[in-house]
Amino acid sequence: MEFDVEVKLAVYRHFAETGRRPSLMETAERVGSDVANVLDAYQRLRAQRLLVLEADGSSIRMASPFSGIPTQHVVEADGIQYFANCAWDALGVLAALHKPGTIHSRCAQSGEPLHLQVDLQGPMPSDWLFHCLVPAARWWDDIVFT
Amino acid sequence: MLFFRSEEQVREWCTTHDSPMRPLVNMSQLWKLATTWYSTRLLENSRRPKPDEMKEIFAGLGLEGEFWDPTSDRFG
């Protein structure tokens, strides 16, 4: 397997297994390489828009649908708590895991809590809505804002 | 990319933030987007949809028009 793919899978599987971002060292251990090689791979994965890094260039801010930092979109599955980058990614976490779970979030205007049960076929009937402010062609101008 | 309880809440949020109201997406459509984007994300051969593929995916869900057209995105 290509090294960058190994690194990508190591990052995503760490998120899936723990709900948290891996440190650079943890990723290096998973792929049996050193941190310098992993850091180089991170930069290439960033260029492919598979990772978004913090300003330090090594901490993972986003490995969509997973968030490397706490957000208002919390997903619970199999006793593990995940943070998602946005409403779309909250459903995306369960789609990526192929597991049922619950999304805990809130209405962005009123603050009313959302607790959305999702099984393998999708969310339970719900009249909540999703709204995206940024047009599709501009999402990656500032993906954290999007 | 946020959740809202109702269309009225979206309208209020857009007014508060002096922002235009965009097309609304229901939970069934959002699930379809989530599975299309992410169901293979933990697999070796996963990849992001390219802009022309994205446009087709959106259109298949009834999400059409300039807002959902990513083809001016130079990536991919």
Side-chain angles (χ1 to χ4, degrees):
Chain A
M1 194 190 313
E2 199 180 310
F3 182 67
D4 288 1
V5 175
E6 285 185 51
V7 171
K8 182 195 79 169
L9 289 178
V11 168
Y12 276 93
R13 286 174 181 169
H14 184 95
F15 268 107
E17 291 164 13
T18 69
R20 299 291 176 266
R21 63 185 175 189
S23 68
L24 198 53
M25 182 63 77
E26 286 171 323
T27 304
E29 286 172 0
R30 272 185 180 250
V31 298
S33 186
D34 58 46
V35 295
N37 286 333
V38 170
L39 203 48
D40 287 345
Y42 275 12
Q43 301 305 322
R44 292 188 292 271
L45 292 170
R46 177 168 66 174
Q48 295 172 53
R49 298 179 172 176
L50 289 167
L51 294 181
V52 175
L53 303 175
E54 303 271 29
D56 65 8
S58 62
S59 301
I60 297 168
R61 171 68 178 78
M62 300 167 68
S64 293
F66 303 105
S67 171
I69 63 171
T71 69
Q72 71 190 62
H73 310 288
V74 179
V75 182
E76 287 182 354
D78 256 3
I80 300 175
Q81 187 182 73
Y82 304 87
F83 293 104
N85 299 298
C86 63
W88 180 335
D89 284 1
L91 289 171
V93 166
L94 295 171
L97 296 172
H98 295 274
K99 289 179 180 176
T102 306
I103 292 167
H104 305 280
S105 187
R106 61 177 182 261
C107 172
Q109 174 60 21
S110 69
E112 180 178 335
L114 167 66
H115 304 290
L116 183 65
Q117 303 282 343
V118 181
D119 66 20
L120 296 178
Q121 283 69 50
M124 298 297 107
S126 170
D127 56 1
W128 281 65
L129 296 167
F130 167 86
H131 181 258
C132 175
L133 184 60
V134 182
R138 309 294 300 274
W139 286 348
W140 281 88
D141 289 0
D142 183 347
I143 191 61
V144 173
F145 174 76
T146 296
Chain B
M1 295 185 173
L2 298 165
F3 287 115
F4 289 89
R5 184 65 189 87
S6 66
E7 184 172 344
E8 183 57 31
Q9 297 292 341
V10 178
R11 191 170 290 112
E12 285 181 23
W13 186 91
C14 290
T15 301
T16 302
H17 291 80
D18 195 24
S19 298
M21 189 162 163
R22 304 301 196 181
L24 297 173
V25 175
N26 65 39
M27 290 299 105
S28 295
Q29 291 170 311
L30 189 60
W31 175 247
K32 191 71 178 172
L33 290 174
T35 53
T36 303
W37 249 251
Y38 294 123
S39 62
T40 64
R41 189 51 61 99
L42 297 176
L43 305 177
E44 182 180 338
N45 60 353
S46 70
R47 66 176 182 85
R48 298 174 63 248
K50 294 182 184 300
D52 56 335
E53 295 170 322
M54 290 168 63
K55 191 174 178 180
E56 199 171 313
I57 292 164
F58 293 145
L61 292 170
L63 305 175
E64 297 182 273
E66 191 179 347
F67 181 81
W68 294 105
D69 183 356
T71 53
S72 65
D73 184 343
R74 284 167 295 173
F75 177 76

